[in-house]
Amino acid sequence: MIRDAYAVRTGIGPRPLAGGRVPRPVIEVIERDDGLINGAPADHYLDEPAEWQPHDHRALRLCRGQVLDIGTGAGRTAVELQRRGMAVTGLDTSPGAIEIARRRGLRDTVVTTIDAYAAKAATRYDTFLLLGNNLGLLESAERAPVFLAALARMARPGARIVAQGTDPYGTTDPVHADYHRRNRERGRIGGQLRLRLRYRRLATDWFDYLNCSPAELEQLLAGTGWELKSVDLADKPYYLAVMEFMR
């Protein structure tokens, strides 16, 4: 999908076509386990800083030292940090996404899971970056401590996580409010999504992705060694959370 989006934006490489000559918009289809289906243009993975949301710019000002950009995708933020002279590694599980990130100039990349990388990484990091709503990679109350422990194994003293999340509970849409209620009835966090992504004839496996409030995030951090230091609510319902490693 990201390869196709890059080809449509740049004209480099084969493009999906509509009607034989017209480039087809590259749409990421998001399917939720209650049957809800949404679609979003995949081109945003390639956005340059002039196209970013304000919280993205504020997030990059919070980065320091050696940075691990987790879920780097096409390298949107990692490439910009590199332009600013920062040492940054882009990590993603998608070889195709990393291929495009490297085409866009990102020098240091890793194709693996965070767990596998933490088990063997020699590098230690000062900042772990989770932008593009990638706080959702915490997944669930069960998975969050495992994910955070992986980051802790790679953390230098005083390391921080800079993460963008979404507080899902301000919605008045009954489709979402009912989903939150059903999650709680099942013992899940209200904003814990069960999703799969589709593009053309491809589909991922089903996975959990977490939208949580700052208060829920603070509860998830308890006992992990990470402490919530600040929450930027200027772009509600989106927020920036800064967590620091206290051990």
Side-chain angles (χ1 to χ4, degrees), residues 68 70 91-93 110-125 143 146-147 149-151 153-154:
L68 181 63
I70 301 167
L91 179 147
D92 207 284
T93 59
V110 183
V111 182
T112 190
T113 65
I114 195 66
D115 303 87
Y117 189 57
K120 64 180 181 180
T123 306
R124 294 295 176 263
Y125 294 95
R143 170 63 180 162
V146 179
F147 185 92
L151 301 193
R153 289 196 293 274
M154 298 184 286

Side-chain angles (χ1 to χ4, degrees), residues 43-180:
D43 189 66
H44 74 90
Y45 290 110
L46 302 163
D47 281 351
E48 295 290 344
E51 303 165 284
W52 290 2
Q53 295 298 313
H55 52 72
D56 289 323
H57 293 282
R58 297 198 300 275
L60 263 60
R61 292 198 290 270
L62 296 168
C63 294
R64 62 191 183 191
Q66 189 95 14
V67 180
L68 181 63
D69 184 23
I70 301 167
T72 194
R76 181 177 67 96
T77 52
V79 168
E80 178 58 21
L81 285 172
Q82 185 177 275
R83 286 174 184 151
R84 298 181 187 189
M86 297 193 72
V88 56
T89 301
L91 179 147
D92 207 284
T93 59
S94 168
I98 290 294
E99 174 192 327
I100 298 305
R102 293 192 66 82
R103 282 196 204 176
R104 300 178 79 203
L106 186 59
R107 292 189 292 269
D108 189 8
T109 59
V110 183
V111 182
T112 190
T113 65
I114 195 66
D115 303 87
Y117 189 57
K120 64 180 181 180
T123 306
R124 294 295 176 263
Y125 294 95
D126 303 285
T127 304
F128 299 97
L129 199 55
L130 291 164
L131 296 190
N133 209 42
N134 273 346
L135 185 63
L137 295 175
L138 293 181
E139 295 186 21
S140 66
E142 295 75 26
R143 170 63 180 162
V146 179
F147 185 92
L148 293 165
L151 301 193
R153 289 196 293 274
M154 298 184 286
R156 286 183 176 146
R160 60 173 47 172
I161 301 169
V162 179
Q164 188 257 307
T166 302
D167 187 337
Y169 304 122
T171 183
T172 58
D173 187 333
V175 172
H176 298 304
D178 288 348
Y179 189 81
H180 300 157

